[in-house]
Amino acid sequence: MEGKKKRLLVLYASQTGNAMDAAERVGRESEHGGCPSVEVLSMDHFDPNSLPSESTVVFVVSTTGQGDPPDSMKVFWRFLLRRNLGSSWLEELHYAVFGLGDSGYQKYNFAAKKLDKRLQDLGARSVIEKGLGDDQHPSGYEGALDPWLMSLWKTLNHINPTLLPEMSEILHPTMRKLEHPKFKIVYHASTEATQHDSQISDLKDVKNMIERARSMSPSLHGHDHGEPHYLLKMVENEQLTKGDDGRNVRQFVLEALASVVEYQVGDVLDVLPGQNSASVDAFIKRCKLDPDSYITIEPWSGEKDSLDEYVNGSSDHPIQLRTFISRAMDIASASPRRYFFEVMSYYASAEHEKEKLQYFASPEGRDDLYQYNQKEHRTVLEILEDFPSVELPFEWLVQLVPPLKKRSFSISSSPLTHPNQVHLTVSVVSSVTPFKRNRYGLCSSWLAGLDPKKDGEVLVPSWIQRGTLPIPHPMVPLILIGPGTGCAPFKAFIEERAMQNLVEPTAPILFFFGCRTRDTDFLYKDFWLAHSSDGVLSEKKGSGFYVAFSREQERKVYVQHKIREESARVWRLLDGGAAIYLAGSSTKMPADVTEALEEVVAKENGVTRESAARWLKTLEKAGRFNIETWS
Amino acid sequence: MGETNISLVLTAEIALPIHTIRQFQMDPASGNLVVITQCESLGCNLPFDVASMDTVIALSEIENFREQWFVEFARVLKPSGKLMLHKQATSLEQEEASLNLVRQLLTSGFIEVEASDLNCSNQSVTIKGTKASWTVGSSYPLKNKKTRSVNILPNIPINEESDIIDEDSLLTVEDLAKPQLPIVGDCEVGKARKACKNCTCGRAEAEAKAEAEEGKLQKLDLTQDQINNPRSACGSCGLGDAFRCGGCPYRGLPPFTLGEKVAFSGNMLVTDI
């Protein structure tokens, strides 16, 4: 087959990390079997257009509670559903699907089942029957994965013996020993170039340093969009919520120093959070590292040649160890995966620690690990402190510590109203774990702690990205639904339309907002009321502004109730070509609102709910029903 | 301000000859006239405030005279404002077209609706109506169901790339049936079931409640003495959460050395001691 990649590709879609764990295990086992080239990728880092050029793909997909695929699969899946792909698009592809689900739910493993069928319909050839992992099984998904993998390797070996030349290693592993880390750390002597680094203060150099640090991280490679677009200064940091129920929603106003921030309504700001200096120091001390050394990270090729393409541009310019840790490794927030505990067990010198770590890494210990690690939001630093006899080499830390991720926020300002400023409306994440430990969101609490009044204050590394909400045309009527912080992008839309209305006619807007009470969390109350008495949200412009206060009366009132109340008006605007935008937290709200909209369409037209639901789906395909939610 | 009589003339055509306007006894130079051509591109939204027009004249080529348009006319017309519709129709169609328009105006809330005498030579029908003199509320009557066509909901055009198949068609009858739970032995109680991260079915609350119950029964509150001078019969309390048993009073605290005061990190919730 000309041009076909001869490798094994493992594509996963993970919501809480389990599918990723499973996928990495598939990759590791194939390497034990001598597979010359294997790559494990998340589906949102793979372009579905290139599927036909692969020869063998293993899909590992989770199904979430509502029967939906994970967020990282949404775009990929939508692509596969296109009618115009045809039934021979994947003719030359061998594949296998393993699903992670829970048979306690009606929609058990729906994502995997649909994927399997669709791949077949597109002409691909299934190597073995799909495997269905079940959380209800005593050993969890491993109960199904172990036998399924064995069957997979045997069948693959029949079809293509060159894929797993050391097949016997899988069937009869000689010794359960730890493989070699995938990367090596190269330490560099101090030179002029490195001396310069320690005095970096110029903005341009800071951006460059961040890019170099992050491009060297294997867990981030290729997926990080380079240098920050801006280093923004926080000029306002204001709490919007009142009252003492502990909720803290804040408005942040950020400005660029040496350039103009260019963005459009509907865009999101990606922020790289700073990590607490004391935590970074504690980590360095615990791992007995030299913070001032200069390093580069290179793939370890060992005896065989690695065919994978790798970490780009890193080997030229070494980076300070401390900088690498603070910009690219998440040491005090994200929880690591099961494999981290497995590797730790090899490096524990205390017997009871070794046993405990092996237990955590085993199928029997899965539940207890879940309790200790995921439910408690245990951080890498905490885990290392709980197992003091473990000395992990830096190579392993680089491979296994979760990467420091950027966080995305919908921008709540219009550049027309606030040139060169970016406004964010952020809820500071906080929760209490089952063991009564307080946990705070890394990025939201870091931003909340930045003080605009201090000079020489910390800057926010930021990127502007297109969000999923298409920019509204001024003559298109809008139905906006955004309870809580979901109102953020709509504040931007309304600011923009108000500006546009000064020079041209604009179409009406119906805005549905929701919060608990008017005194505690009625975000931007004055702004909405001003526009609704005499602006683009006013009755005389044909618009409307509706608020659902959920806790001001006995029964709960939410935005969906308001939508039903305004059924006729909503339909009238929809019939006139309106676009619907829905934003906010992703639990039940989107489903509830969609249900209310279906009822409105059904009622105003005398059709069935099913017809209304189908019509709304068509609206979605046509780009007139847009949803952006976050958890 | 004085009595300014504002009129709106709408047509779907590209241009409107002045003699047409004169025909309706309007003076194009009076400054109280708004003319909109190619009005289809407005998509049934008139960029005027509520009750701003005294008269609205809608001319022929607006083919469908959709319900939407009448609603808009009613909105921008002042109470008691006048509406005139003018539609091309051959002598064969005139009667039916006239009846249809009259009925539509009536159901849209106009009063004093009348068709001018059918004039075969003109090849057109003219209907007049008046907006009610009281302010109309924001509700509108439902469409007359008997006149509906089969495709009730408006058609939405989509481009080829956005055209996707219905994913539920990928599931079999078997898939849609209630899944079989795996056979679990009697002694394996409850532990295997877990709520998902963003649980919405109530399982998470039930689990949290169960855990809280368990905690209440087994966990003893920490006394000041236990913090200052920690002791451990089992020997594991000081090792950290990974080694502590379910009822350990020190659960949630960082590891400590027996005999030394336990150091709290800033993120502890401790009940009143």
Side-chain angles (χ1 to χ4, degrees):
Chain A
M1 290 161 200
E2 297 296 345
K4 271 243 183 211
K5 302 221 176 121
K6 290 193 172 55
R7 62 174 181 180
L8 174 68
L9 174 64
V10 183
L11 282 179
Y12 65 89
S14 187
Q15 192 73 20
T16 55
N18 286 315
M20 178 165 71
D21 258 350
E24 292 187 342
R25 181 174 151 198
V26 174
R28 272 197 303 277
E29 260 188 43
S30 75
E31 286 177 336
H32 287 153
C35 183
S37 170
V38 59
E39 186 160 14
V40 178
L41 284 178
S42 173
M43 269 181 206
D44 56 355
H45 290 154
F46 181 79
D47 178 7
N49 273 302
S50 5
L51 254 186
S53 68
E54 299 288 335
S55 50
T56 322
V57 183
V58 176
F59 295 91
V60 181
V61 301
S62 282
T63 301
T64 70
Q66 311 281 346
D68 293 322
D71 295 331
S72 51
M73 185 168 166
K74 296 246 154 77
V75 172
F76 185 89
W77 181 232
R78 215 190 148 89
F79 186 97
L80 284 191
L81 288 177
R82 287 191 193 178
R83 215 182 284 275
N84 63 359
L85 291 174
S87 57
S88 49
W89 182 56
L90 293 177
E91 225 168 24
E92 318 267 5
L93 180 72
H94 282 113
Y95 80 93
V97 170
F98 187 82
L100 284 82
D102 188 326
S103 60
Y105 291 90
Q106 170 65 38
K107 300 189 179 181
Y108 171 54
N109 258 315
F110 266 22
K113 288 177 176 173
K114 290 181 186 175
L115 177 65
D116 186 56
K117 179 70 169 59
R118 184 61 180 153
L119 289 168
Q120 273 174 30
D121 289 345
L122 291 169
R125 268 169 294 170
S126 154
V127 171
I128 54 171
E129 178 91 13
K130 60 186 178 286
L132 297 179
D134 186 357
D135 262 358
Q136 298 290 350
H137 191 283
S139 330
Y141 70 81
E142 264 99 348
L145 184 61
D146 295 341
W148 184 83
L149 266 184
M150 202 47 86
S151 168
L152 174 71
W153 301 135
K154 288 187 186 145
T155 321
L156 264 184
N157 200 34
H158 259 305
I159 297 177
N160 182 2
T162 63
L163 199 61
L164 299 166
E166 281 154 51
M167 183 65 193
S168 50
E169 270 302 313
I170 299 182
L171 295 175
H172 314 286
T174 43
M175 196 177 85
R176 190 85 181 86
K177 69 180 198 303
L178 189 62
E179 51 270 345
H180 197 280
K182 294 197 155 96
F183 306 94
K184 61 180 191 250
I185 313 290
V186 178
Y187 291 88
H188 298 251
S190 188
T191 62
E192 252 180 54
T194 60
Q195 297 291 15
H196 165 75
D197 264 6
S198 55
Q199 277 119 33
I200 281 185
S201 55
D202 184 86
L203 289 188
K204 188 162 164 314
D205 289 337
V206 172
K207 288 187 199 173
N208 181 260
M209 174 188 64
I210 292 177
E211 186 202 6
R212 276 189 290 122
R214 291 175 70 77
S215 66
M216 230 188 276
S217 160
S219 342
L220 286 170
H221 74 226
H223 307 135
D224 211 48
H225 312 121
E227 271 189 18
H229 297 162
Y230 306 98
L231 290 170
L232 299 177
K233 174 155 175 41
M234 181 156 318
V235 297
E236 271 171 49
N237 176 349
E238 191 200 322
Q239 179 160 2
L240 298 175
T241 47
K242 309 182 198 28
D244 16 76
D245 60 353
R247 287 181 331 142
N248 185 0
V249 178
R250 308 187 76 87
Q251 163 149 299
F252 301 125
V253 177
L254 303 159
E255 269 181 16
L257 295 174
S259 52
V260 176
V261 190
E262 286 180 8
Y263 66 97
Q264 294 172 308
V265 294
D267 281 350
V268 301
L269 191 74
D270 277 355
V271 168
L272 181 70
Q275 299 197 81
N276 181 298
S277 198
S279 304
V280 174
D281 289 334
F283 177 79
I284 288 174
K285 184 165 169 216
R286 166 70 180 83
C287 301
K288 303 197 170 73
L289 301 167
D290 174 12
D292 300 320
S293 51
Y294 281 82
I295 58 166
T296 50
I297 298 174
E298 281 147 44
W300 177 77
S301 40
E303 305 92 292
K304 58 180 185 336
D305 249 15
S306 169
L307 292 175
D308 303 339
E309 307 124 36
Y310 249 106
V311 185
N312 38 17
S314 61
S315 30
D316 324 357
H317 199 149
I319 193 114
Q320 199 186 41
L321 191 95
R322 192 180 197 287
T323 307
F324 179 76
I325 293 175
S326 103
R327 298 293 190 179
M329 294 171 72
D330 189 331
I331 44 132
S333 169
S335 298
R337 308 180 305 276
R338 198 182 67 142
Y339 190 49
F340 185 77
F341 293 86
E342 192 179 318
V343 173
M344 271 180 82
S345 71
Y346 286 91
Y347 289 95
S349 44
E351 198 53 44
H352 69 281
E353 288 182 21
K354 193 185 192 69
E355 264 175 34
K356 180 62 76 170
L357 289 164
Q358 285 172 337
Y359 171 68
F360 274 159
S362 69
E364 298 78 46
R366 236 178 123 238
D367 273 347
D368 284 342
L369 176 63
Y370 181 72
Q371 197 87 283
Y372 169 75
N373 187 35
Q374 280 105 304
K375 289 210 83 168
E376 283 298 308
H377 300 284
R378 208 61 75 163
T379 70
V380 167
L381 191 53
E382 285 173 340
I383 294 168
L384 289 174
E385 283 171 352
D386 273 358
F387 292 92
S389 82
V390 172
E391 305 288 358
L392 270 182
F394 193 51
E395 286 81 0
W396 275 120
L397 289 168
V398 163
Q399 187 176 330
L400 298 174
V401 170
L404 184 64
K405 292 207 165 117
K406 298 184 262 179
R407 269 72 163 172
S408 297
F409 300 98
S410 288
I411 298 181
S412 53
S413 54
S414 159
L416 298 182
T417 327
H418 301 281
N420 203 39
Q421 276 187 352
V422 171
H423 291 211
L424 301 180
T425 310
V426 176
S427 175
V428 179
V429 178
S430 78
S431 60
V432 180
T433 68
F435 290 4
K436 306 272 188 295
R437 290 150 22 106
N438 280 353
R439 297 280 98 168
Y440 298 100
L442 175 65
C443 192
S444 54
S445 42
W446 175 69
L447 286 171
L450 296 181
D451 185 351
K453 293 195 273 315
K454 285 209 209 125
D455 285 328
E457 184 52 78
V458 174
L459 297 176
V460 179
S462 317
W463 291 252
I464 298 279
Q465 305 290 359
R466 204 68 275 291
T468 55
L469 300 176
I471 304 179
H473 184 277
M475 279 311 287
V476 170
L478 299 176
I479 299 174
L480 307 175
I481 307 160
T485 49
C487 68
F490 302 143
K491 178 162 170 293
F493 283 6
I494 289 169
E495 279 184 6
E496 178 123 318
R497 190 157 280 200
M499 294 297 280
Q500 289 164 339
N501 190 242
L502 297 176
V503 296
E504 54 178 329
T506 58
I509 300 178
L510 293 183
F511 176 40
F512 294 89
F513 176 67
C515 63
R516 289 186 188 172
T517 72
R518 67 191 76 220
D519 295 321
T520 55
D521 61 344
F522 192 172
L523 307 174
Y524 300 119
K525 165 168 112 179
D526 296 331
F527 176 80
W528 312 125
L529 291 179
H531 280 284
S532 110
S533 63
D534 189 35
V536 290
L537 282 182
S538 60
E539 291 291 328
K540 72 171 195 270
K541 296 257 186 243
S543 302
F545 170 56
Y546 310 96
V547 190
F549 295 108
S550 62
R551 296 193 186 181
E552 288 198 341
Q553 57 283 310
E554 262 303 309
R555 61 182 179 92
K556 295 265 159 91
V557 174
Y558 296 123
V559 281
Q560 53 266 30
H561 300 113
K562 288 293 183 193
I563 291 172
R564 288 195 187 96
E565 277 174 29
E566 296 299 323
S567 179
R569 269 198 100 174
V570 169
W571 173 249
R572 200 149 35 91
L573 231 65
L574 216 42
D575 194 28
I580 306 175
Y581 286 80
L582 173 56
S585 91
S586 59
T587 49
K588 279 210 79 195
M589 192 269 297
D592 287 339
V593 168
T594 306
E595 214 180 272
L597 290 168
E598 286 170 7
E599 281 175 26
V600 163
V601 173
K603 173 176 170 214
E604 296 298 323
N605 291 282
V607 299
T608 62
R609 271 284 297 278
E610 286 75 33
S611 305
R614 270 199 303 273
W615 189 78
L616 277 176
K617 284 219 163 69
T618 321
L619 213 62
E620 205 185 323
K621 290 186 210 169
R624 277 176 54 197
F625 183 9
N626 304 292
I627 305 183
E628 178 158 286
T629 56
W630 46 83
S631 45
Chain B
M1 303 291 153
E3 287 265 317
T4 37
N5 226 307
I6 309 184
S7 303
L8 169 66
V9 179
L10 280 169
T11 176
E13 301 208 23
I14 297 180
L16 197 59
I18 295 200
H19 71 77
T20 312
I21 300 182
R22 292 237 176 81
Q23 206 179 348
F24 297 114
Q25 280 127 23
M26 309 219 134
D27 180 0
S30 69
N32 294 331
L33 186 63
V34 178
V35 178
I36 297 185
T37 57
Q38 293 186 283
C39 66
E40 296 282 12
S41 66
L42 281 179
C44 299
N45 290 304
L46 294 174
F48 300 109
D49 287 346
V50 166
S52 54
M53 297 287 158
D54 292 280
T55 316
V56 171
I57 301 180
L59 301 175
S60 50
E61 302 314 310
I62 310 170
E63 263 315 292
N64 296 329
F65 271 137
R66 283 222 310 265
E67 172 89 356
Q68 243 333 85
W69 280 117
F70 295 120
V71 163
E72 273 295 286
F73 297 152
R75 183 179 71 84
V76 304
L77 271 176
K78 295 183 187 164
S80 299
K82 302 260 185 284
L83 169 70
M84 171 148 51
L85 303 176
H86 186 84
K87 184 172 164 67
Q88 301 280 47
T90 62
S91 13
L92 297 170
E93 302 168 339
Q94 276 178 14
E95 186 163 325
E96 193 190 323
S98 174
L99 281 175
N100 273 336
L101 285 175
V102 165
R103 183 166 45 214
Q104 280 187 289
L105 275 188
L106 284 174
T107 55
S108 298
F110 287 92
I111 56 176
E112 296 167 28
V113 179
E114 55 180 18
S116 57
D117 295 325
L118 302 179
N119 192 336
C120 298
S121 61
N122 253 358
Q123 300 287 321
S124 66
V125 291
T126 305
I127 316 284
K128 293 190 186 147
T130 308
K131 178 168 168 177
S133 54
W134 57 87
T135 318
V136 183
S138 64
S139 62
Y140 290 87
L142 294 175
K143 295 183 214 184
N144 185 341
K145 292 179 188 165
K146 290 200 182 63
T147 62
R148 266 177 208 277
S149 56
V150 178
N151 294 332
I152 298 171
L153 294 163
N155 188 38
I156 315 279
I158 44 182
N159 62 31
E160 205 191 73
E161 274 192 0
S162 315
D163 191 7
I164 56 179
I165 64 162
D166 176 16
E167 62 184 273
D168 291 326
S169 67
L170 297 167
L171 298 164
T172 66
V173 172
E174 206 183 34
D175 291 330
L176 294 168
K178 196 162 157 54
Q180 299 273 15
L181 288 163
I183 324 239
V184 173
D186 278 311
C187 48
E188 310 203 46
V189 188
K191 254 296 176 75
R193 292 170 189 252
K194 276 197 284 290
C196 5
K197 188 172 154 195
N198 50 357
C199 168
T200 54
C201 73
R203 184 178 293 202
E205 275 102 15
E207 270 184 20
K209 205 157 158 237
E211 272 174 25
E213 289 299 320
E214 200 186 273
K216 254 191 259 168
L217 289 173
Q218 297 178 354
K219 179 176 166 166
L220 308 161
D221 284 335
L222 219 45
T223 66
Q224 188 62 44
D225 183 50
Q226 276 178 306
I227 295 175
N228 287 338
N229 188 12
R231 261 163 269 132
S232 166
C234 65
S236 304
C237 304
L239 297 176
D241 280 343
F243 302 94
R244 290 175 184 136
C245 45
C248 183
Y250 296 101
R251 203 174 67 166
L253 293 178
F256 55 80
T257 320
L258 295 175
E260 282 175 22
K261 180 170 172 159
V262 182
F264 283 92
S265 48
N267 52 0
M268 274 299 307
L269 257 195
V270 185
T271 52
D272 259 15
I273 306 168

